[in-house]
Amino acid sequence: MTHPLPAESEVRALRGHQFPGGEYTIEHWENFLLTECTGAELMPDGLVHPVALFHIPILGSRTSIAEMFALGQAESDLSILIESYDWELLVPLRENHCYRVSGAITEAQRLENDEGKPYDRIQFEFELHEQSVLTARVTVIWHYTRNTL
């Protein structure tokens, strides 16, 4: 099934989109479950396993995977290809610490793959701060594939 190709200007206009932002506190139970999912042992002194960076930035900035799909006009759940997830952990995350989270779309462009088919490359950037200290930065780049003829 083909879908109408979003206008390239609509894609470019996503650059600079800000998510509402908010605060997020990682509870012990959440850290325990996330750590257990990785097969690792819980770290000492309330340190949070880095795998939490998959979802905390998204939830903390008050967005969702569904909204991120919708912003790029994803054709389906299967139309997203992951280029990269880059985690910069500048200060260890800790349980029961409140982090201020912000997020934005920092790049959005139309490109073509090796077969000449268009796709949209969208980069999301999230930052976690504890008080005024930048604690972590997460950069997510997705390709929104387009099923056009």
Side-chain angles (χ1 to χ4, degrees):
M1 178 175 179
T2 61
H3 296 271
L5 185 65
E8 189 172 351
S9 60
E10 289 179 55
V11 173
R12 283 193 316 267
L14 291 171
R15 187 173 187 193
H17 174 84
Q18 299 282 322
F19 296 108
E23 294 181 345
Y24 198 94
T25 301
I26 306 158
E27 304 290 338
H28 173 74
W29 66 265
E30 182 178 19
N31 185 35
F32 175 82
L33 290 176
L34 288 169
T35 301
E36 178 121 330
C37 288
T38 68
E41 296 292 322
L42 201 58
M43 292 186 279
D45 302 322
L47 289 174
V48 172
H49 193 285
V51 74
L53 291 175
F54 265 121
H55 79 280
I56 289 170
I58 293 169
L59 295 175
S61 66
R62 295 185 26 222
T63 190
S64 66
I65 297 288
E67 181 182 3
M68 293 164 69
F69 277 30
L71 282 167
Q73 300 180 48
E75 294 176 0
S76 74
D77 293 351
L78 301 175
S79 67
I80 301 294
L81 299 177
I82 297 168
E83 179 179 315
S84 63
Y85 278 81
D86 183 37
W87 298 344
E88 297 174 73
L89 191 54
L90 306 169
V91 177
L93 299 175
R94 296 193 174 275
E95 295 175 356
N96 302 314
H97 286 228
C98 183
Y99 297 96
R100 184 174 41 82
V101 185
S102 60
I105 295 176
T106 55
E107 289 184 25
Q109 59 187 331
R110 169 87 26 94
L111 298 169
E112 287 187 356
N113 66 18
D114 292 340
E115 299 167 354
K117 294 182 179 181
Y119 69 94
D120 297 323
R121 182 181 185 271
I122 300 178
Q123 178 175 297
F124 304 88
E125 189 171 285
F126 301 94
E127 291 187 347
L128 282 71
H129 288 82
E130 185 177 17
Q131 298 172 2
S132 62
V133 176
L134 178 60
T135 304
R137 181 180 298 113
V138 174
T139 305
V140 176
I141 302 174
W142 287 349
H143 295 185
Y144 292 71
T145 61
R146 305 301 177 189
N147 189 13
T148 60
L149 294 178

